[in-house]
Amino acid sequence: MVLGDTPPRDENGPMDFATLALDRGASPVLYRQLSDQLADAIGRGELAAGDRLPSERDLAMALGVSRTTAVNAYRELEARGLIRGYVGRGTFVCAASSSEPAGAPFAWRGKLAVGAQRTLDPTLRSIVRAASDPAVISFAAGIPALECFPTEAFREITDRVLRRGARTAVGLAPTEGQPALRRAIASRASIRPEQVLIVAGAQQGLDLVARCLLDPGDAVVIDRPGYLGAIQAFRAAGAHLVGWDAGQGDLDELEDLLLRYRPKLLYTTTTFQNPTGRTWPLPLRRDLLELTARYRLPVVEDEPYRDLSFGAAPPPSLFALDGGRSVIHVGTFSKTLAGGLRLGWVTANEAIVDQLALVKLRDDVSTASLTQLVIADLLTSGRFDRHLAELRAEHSRRHQTMLAALRRHVPTGALNCRPVNGGLYLWCRLHAGLDARDLFQTAAAAGVAYVAGDHFYPDGAGANELRLCFSSVPAPRIEEGVRRLGSLIGGHRHQATHLNGAQPLV
């Protein structure tokens, strides 16, 4: 919640402020008495986070005190982190006094910047936490089959890189990235190294794009459903998110959105999309580029799963088709090697790469040199491509294992999902009447994690949808996790109606 977005409970506010009792002959002074009594009301819950307080003038009139007393009381409460004033909107409760740390003179939550308040959604942190808990069978985090990680090759190359030049390997790299890795990525994309920026994972790339291109209030057209990390990055920049169902590929609808909102940029995942797994056909890619060129609209193409096809290679990326003129392409090694490496890249026109590097410099002077040099060697030696072949085969097996387990263990008609041709995810729809968030709480208690569908929508839709990552755990744990999940879905079936009319699991 952005503080202040919650309206008052009634016209006169959530409590009768005239009932506050001030002793005009006592110490401390009136404003301190008033601030203490309001703080007590916040602590008791009579005033909750998001409640709007009266203006200083109205509060002064209600209590028969000077406006200066009301102003000073509000200033004291704001200093304690309990309320916050917004020009043109009013003054709102932003934290409970009980949230103040022991011995601290204020509530830290109330000190948070407005921009930080836009990004308090803990979903990504919860996903990472579940993935690192061995007691949880996590279908939540988008993790490749780590059992396939080329450990011996990585160790061998690391030793060689350190022997060859330890000073370079552990020293600061250029902000744009180690030249060897920039050259290796550029060679695979048939572009110039100057068009490559190395980043600490694709999430940092999206954050840099948002901070570099967006001002508060700018519109961004985004996949609906789409990647929740992108939703958070653009919201943190203060953007207005406009959802487009890219899976339908209706460019007339998209053009209508462009005319109506005049967006600053369009964000999409074209290949094995997160969360749906769909891939755009070549004609749609070309038509979209023609449309965005006509409106002079930059496109951010997020392609972390491009190398994870089970069969034929996907169509050329928007970036390749566009020649790098108006498309910013984001990639990562998190989905093909391991997320813990925290290494990705952005490819774009040299002018925007230069600007992104300047933004990156503010919070990340240099991405880890050693990891960059090791992966550059993996790419140029051919070992990365051999690893990809093994990884794709294992992901395909796990994909089939999960589909088979869902057919065995989930009650007929309670869940609908379709096979994919690559990537990491199955996008599933529960039968109407079953809520993915309600089910999530029960599943978490049973040691199973997934991501509820509403996190992937900028407008909060998707209540009966969920995403399952099939690549993250070995086949026996997939079977056990789906068995638990199927049992829980069966236990929730009484909430659904007319279940016999549902489509079967495909």
Side-chain angles (χ1 to χ4, degrees):
M1 177 186 72
V2 178
L3 296 182
D5 281 355
T6 301
R9 283 179 251 184
D10 57 55
E11 280 189 357
N12 299 317
M15 64 174 285
D16 183 0
F17 293 92
T19 61
L20 295 173
L22 301 178
D23 186 348
R24 287 162 171 76
S27 183
V29 293
L30 285 179
Y31 87 85
R32 186 64 66 99
Q33 290 184 52
L34 179 54
S35 65
D36 286 345
Q37 290 192 39
L38 288 172
D40 289 342
I42 293 171
R44 292 191 302 269
E46 294 176 40
L47 292 170
D51 281 342
R52 183 164 54 202
L53 300 179
S55 68
E56 294 98 335
R57 184 181 303 279
D58 288 346
L59 182 63
M61 290 179 61
L63 297 175
V65 297
S66 70
R67 186 170 180 272
T68 301
T69 296
V71 168
N72 288 337
Y74 277 3
R75 285 177 178 172
E76 173 66 18
L77 290 169
E78 191 154 7
R80 291 172 63 174
L82 299 180
I83 68 172
R84 179 172 294 172
Y86 299 87
V87 175
R89 296 177 60 194
T91 302
F92 297 82
V93 178
C94 62
S97 56
S98 58
S99 68
E100 298 179 41
F106 52 80
W108 277 107
R109 180 181 173 87
K111 297 291 187 179
L112 295 180
V114 174
Q117 294 290 340
R118 303 190 193 105
T119 56
L120 291 180
D121 184 349
T123 306
L124 282 174
R125 184 174 64 180
S126 300
I127 290 172
V128 173
R129 185 176 295 160
S132 62
D133 186 346
V136 176
I137 301 176
S138 177
F139 301 136
I143 297 175
L146 295 180
E147 294 78 8
C148 296
F149 183 80
T151 305
E152 293 305 317
F154 199 87
R155 181 183 294 118
E156 174 192 325
I157 295 171
T158 300
D159 289 344
R160 184 164 66 246
V161 166
L162 288 170
R163 287 196 303 269
R164 191 166 57 213
R167 184 180 182 86
T168 300
V170 300
L172 290 176
T175 303
E176 295 82 359
Q178 281 286 358
L181 183 57
R182 296 179 78 193
R183 287 194 300 269
I185 292 173
S187 176
R188 294 172 74 89
S190 299
I191 58 176
R192 297 180 302 278
E194 292 77 16
Q195 293 179 264
V196 179
L197 173 68
I198 305 302
V199 291
Q203 189 63 43
Q204 185 185 48
L206 295 176
D207 181 66
L208 292 176
V209 168
R211 288 194 285 145
C212 187
L213 296 183
L214 297 177
D215 290 311
D218 283 343
V220 174
V221 174
I222 188 169
D223 289 352
R224 182 184 184 275
Y227 173 47
L228 63 94
I231 292 173
Q232 292 187 2
F234 297 139
R235 276 188 175 150
H240 169 57
L241 303 185
V242 179
W244 174 56
D245 186 355
Q248 297 296 322
D250 187 343
L251 293 183
D252 289 336
E253 177 196 359
L254 176 59
E255 185 167 16
D256 180 64
L257 295 176
L258 301 188
L259 289 168
R260 190 185 315 169
Y261 294 102
R262 296 294 179 181
K264 191 72 168 288
L265 59 86
L266 180 147
Y267 166 87
T268 188
T269 302
T270 54
T271 306
F272 309 129
Q273 194 247 11
N274 178 6
T276 65
R278 61 108 178 98
T279 295
W280 285 18
L282 182 57
L284 177 59
R285 295 174 188 237
R286 286 176 170 154
D287 290 345
L288 178 114
L289 286 174
E290 181 182 336
L291 176 64
T292 55
R294 193 159 70 245
Y295 285 88
R296 302 183 186 275
L297 179 68
V299 177
V300 179
E301 180 184 28
D302 194 4
E303 270 204 320
Y305 315 103
R306 179 171 186 81
D307 291 328
L308 297 177
S309 172
F310 299 154
S317 67
L318 297 178
F319 179 81
L321 293 170
D322 172 69
R325 293 186 298 272
S326 60
V327 176
I328 299 173
H329 185 273
V330 181
T332 182
F333 294 105
S334 294
K335 310 306 181 185
T336 54
L337 284 168
L341 298 177
R342 303 314 308 143
L343 198 64
W345 67 92
V346 175
T347 55
N349 182 278
E350 292 173 36
I352 192 61
V353 166
D354 182 62
Q355 293 302 308
L356 291 170
L358 291 174
V359 176
K360 181 177 185 285
L361 187 64
R362 296 210 302 262
D363 59 2
D364 182 13
V365 174
S366 174
T367 306
S369 291
L370 178 58
T371 307
Q372 291 187 63
L373 294 171
V374 172
I375 291 183
D377 194 303
L378 278 172
L379 292 172
T380 56
S381 66
R383 291 188 176 189
F384 179 72
D385 290 311
R386 292 195 290 274
H387 160 70
L388 279 180
E390 179 184 349
L391 188 69
R392 292 185 192 115
E394 179 60 24
H395 284 184
S396 180
R397 286 190 288 270
R398 295 185 182 190
H399 169 251
Q400 293 299 325
T401 296
M402 179 169 281
L403 286 172
L406 287 168
R407 292 189 183 101
R408 278 193 297 273
H409 299 300
V410 176
T412 302
L415 186 74
N416 180 274
C417 63
R418 296 187 179 278
V420 293
N421 296 316
L424 305 182
Y425 310 111
L426 291 178
W427 183 238
C428 306
R429 179 174 286 106
L430 292 161
H431 184 267
L434 295 176
D435 186 279
R437 275 201 182 240
D438 290 344
L439 180 64
F440 174 83
Q441 301 299 328
T442 312
V448 181
Y450 62 82
V451 186
D454 60 327
H455 294 296
F456 301 98
Y457 287 85
D459 53 9
N464 69 327
E465 294 174 307
L466 58 93
R467 190 194 75 181
L468 299 174
C469 177
F470 55 77
S471 61
S472 55
V473 296
R477 284 175 67 79
I478 290 177
E479 184 74 23
E480 173 58 20
V482 171
R483 185 193 65 77
R484 295 182 195 177
L485 188 59
S487 176
L488 296 172
I489 291 174
H492 280 247
R493 283 186 74 178
H494 67 277
Q495 300 177 28
T497 58
H498 308 299
L499 194 57
N500 292 333
Q503 294 183 1
L505 174 71
V506 177

